[in-house]
Amino acid sequence: MTKIKIGILGAGKISDIHLKTLSENKSVSLISISDLNLELATEKAKQYGIEKIESDYSKILNDPEIDAVDILLPHHLHYKASVDAIRCGKVVICEKPFVTKLSDAKSLMKTAGIKKVSIYLKHYLRYSASHSKLKKLLREKIIGTPYLAKCFYTCNSVAEMNNKKSWKGNIKEAGGGVLMDAGVHVIDFLQDIFGNPMSVSSECKQVFTKLKTKGEDLAMINLEFPNNVMAEITCTSNDTSYGFRWEKHVFGSEGSLHIIDCGKDKNELLLYKNGKVVIRESEDDWWNQTNKNILNDIISKIINKEKPSVDLNTAYVGLKTIIKAYESAKAGKRIKI
Ligand SMILES: NC(=O)c1ccc[n+]([C@@H]2O[C@H](COP(=O)([O-])OP(=O)(O)OC[C@H]3O[C@@H](n4cnc5c(N)ncnc54)[C@H](O)[C@@H]3O)[C@@H](O)[C@H]2O)c1
């Protein structure tokens, strides 16, 4: 079987789960890895048996041996790396957010359209078992007509948000704070179950972060969806005691569905009807599993020439929602998306 030959762009924190998953996938051959920090790239290359190590990622883009690139770079580099990769004839896999500016999104969509290529984005929440089950139960109308969702994200990025040298949360390089970094996932999840949001009002604040170069460390977003569904998202990067967690609650006319955090790497899906718990299912090791699920699905879709599960139009509306949320926070009013 011919394997997809992949080059990795960026050997930072998220690269470990990508490298582990791709190295275990029998349809993939990891050929090269690039990072400005050559020591880091070399360390990962050794660990995963990757032969070519580059500090300049354009060497990977111009390498005829490479079929696809996996872009794991800071946010502001996603646009250029994706456009250049498409122009070099490579298939693009890219971490979220796919770009940080609407003008870049439009330009990337135009390039992808002209070259007739797809970009495979890593919007991973859709690939968690509890999320898929929640979506299935919603479709089966098990809670009747949904009218409200409440989503909650926390992490502890206080050190990075207060570090001038870190690109994370930096408006120029990250495109914003916790909403751009993590809110992008929950907006995608809500788009998946309710369609595209129509309007937004929001409050975005710096609470623990005082650096002017950084974005918000607390974002509270209110979204209006079709069919009279409202959603609230609260994201903060200031949870110094608990750290990373996602929670989601969907309320309907005949019950409610909840995905709750149950300690490290464990989620639980609950269905309440008539005051009773009707379904309780736990999902262990969910973060690793969900990342593996989406990366393996992307590889299978590339091999079978199938379209990505998140198309660029959907990602564009997701990004627009974030940009409009920032505008709403500044203007102090509700804004159409
Ligand atoms: N889906 C998720 O759950 C998840 C989680 C964490 C991060 N991410 C995303 O993954 C991406 C990377 O995040 P990270 O946490 O690994 O960041 P990171 O800072 O740890 O890694 C980024 C790497 O890119 C390298 N780099 C910067 N400029 C470069 C250049 N011009 N050429 C080559 N290498 C360059 C840096 O040296 C660094 O090692 C971001 O888009 C982030 O939002 C996704």
Side-chain angles (χ1 to χ4, degrees):
M1 186 181 67
T2 327
K3 294 187 174 200
I4 307 179
K5 298 190 172 107
I6 294 186
I8 304 285
L9 276 49
K13 285 192 205 79
I14 199 67
S15 71
D16 287 309
I17 188 71
H18 285 245
L19 288 162
K20 183 164 176 20
T21 308
L22 296 175
S23 64
E24 286 168 2
N25 187 311
K26 293 196 167 57
S27 305
V28 169
S29 184
L30 286 170
I31 302 292
S32 48
I33 186 161
S34 160
D35 202 293
L36 288 180
N37 181 344
L38 264 183
E39 213 177 297
L40 191 62
T42 307
E43 187 191 304
K44 304 273 164 99
K46 261 193 202 156
Q47 198 178 342
Y48 292 96
I50 302 173
E51 272 180 25
K52 299 182 191 175
I53 305 160
E54 312 285 358
S55 61
D56 177 0
Y57 71 71
S58 68
K59 295 230 171 85
I60 296 185
L61 303 188
N62 289 299
D63 181 348
E65 195 187 358
I66 296 290
D67 302 313
V69 291
D70 188 10
I71 300 173
L72 316 177
L73 297 166
H75 301 170
H76 66 302
L77 300 172
H78 290 187
Y79 167 68
K80 189 165 168 23
S82 299
V83 166
D84 289 349
I86 291 172
R87 291 193 178 128
C88 292
K90 309 302 180 200
V91 174
V92 173
I93 306 168
C94 187
E95 263 293 349
K96 56 75 194 171
F98 75 128
V99 291
T100 55
K101 293 182 190 149
L102 291 175
S103 54
D104 287 351
K106 281 191 175 152
S107 163
L108 177 59
M109 287 159 84
K110 195 172 165 196
T111 308
I114 291 167
K115 298 276 183 189
K116 294 194 172 49
V117 293
S118 302
I119 297 179
Y120 296 85
L121 303 176
K122 219 198 87 194
H123 287 215
Y124 78 131
L125 285 188
R126 292 179 186 226
Y127 285 78
S128 131
S130 46
H131 291 260
S132 306
K133 182 76 181 263
L134 181 145
K135 189 177 164 185
K136 182 174 170 281
L137 294 172
L138 267 181
R139 287 226 167 117
E140 289 167 0
K141 297 261 173 216
I142 203 142
I143 61 163
T145 308
Y147 62 92
L148 171 68
K150 277 183 86 81
C151 306
F152 189 43
Y153 170 81
T154 66
C155 68
N156 177 7
S157 302
V158 173
E160 280 164 333
M161 290 295 279
N162 282 304
N163 178 357
K164 276 185 194 157
K165 290 185 182 157
S166 167
W167 68 270
K168 300 232 167 145
N170 208 336
I171 294 166
K172 262 195 184 158
E173 291 156 309
V178 66
L179 180 61
M180 183 64 86
D181 190 52
V184 60
H185 282 307
V186 77
I187 290 169
D188 177 64
F189 167 70
L190 291 169
Q191 284 176 282
D192 190 31
I193 57 175
F194 296 135
N196 287 333
M198 300 173 318
S199 71
V200 58
S201 76
S202 82
E203 292 277 342
C204 294
K205 292 197 183 311
Q206 284 191 327
V207 183
F208 282 28
T209 309
K210 300 297 172 211
L211 295 171
K212 287 205 169 85
T213 46
K214 298 283 181 177
E216 75 291 346
D217 56 23
L218 172 65
M220 298 176 79
I221 312 297
N222 179 293
L223 293 170
E224 180 195 11
F225 283 89
N227 303 314
N228 256 339
V229 177
M230 298 299 295
E232 280 184 358
I233 305 172
T234 301
C235 301
T236 180
S237 50
N238 296 332
D239 192 343
T240 51
S241 53
Y242 193 88
F244 180 60
R245 70 150 87 71
W246 288 107
E247 294 211 346
K248 284 157 218 88
H249 307 269
V250 183
F251 299 87
S253 55
E254 290 162 36
S256 60
L257 284 158
H258 307 264
I259 295 173
I260 56 169
D261 179 276
C262 305
K264 199 159 165 46
D265 294 334
K266 189 169 172 173
N267 271 347
E268 209 165 58
L269 171 86
L270 293 169
L271 167 65
Y272 278 89
K273 271 176 98 69
N274 304 316
K276 286 191 184 121
V277 177
V278 181
I279 294 178
R280 182 190 287 270
E281 282 180 12
S282 55
E283 183 181 14
D284 293 332
D285 195 26
W286 83 269
W287 189 86
N288 281 316
Q289 282 308 325
T290 303
N291 274 280
K292 285 180 185 174
N293 291 347
I294 183 165
L295 287 165
N296 286 326
D297 185 62
I298 286 173
I299 296 305
S300 149
K301 284 191 161 61
I302 294 172
I303 288 171
N304 296 311
K305 300 200 181 341
E306 286 170 25
K307 293 208 174 310
S309 55
V310 181
D311 61 38
L312 289 181
N313 287 318
T314 304
Y316 177 83
V317 177
L319 177 68
K320 194 172 178 193
T321 304
I322 294 171
I323 305 279
K324 294 291 167 189
Y326 287 147
E327 280 176 32
S328 162
K330 268 199 189 133
K333 62 176 187 188
R334 190 161 200 97
I335 291 188
K336 265 180 100 175
I337 295 168

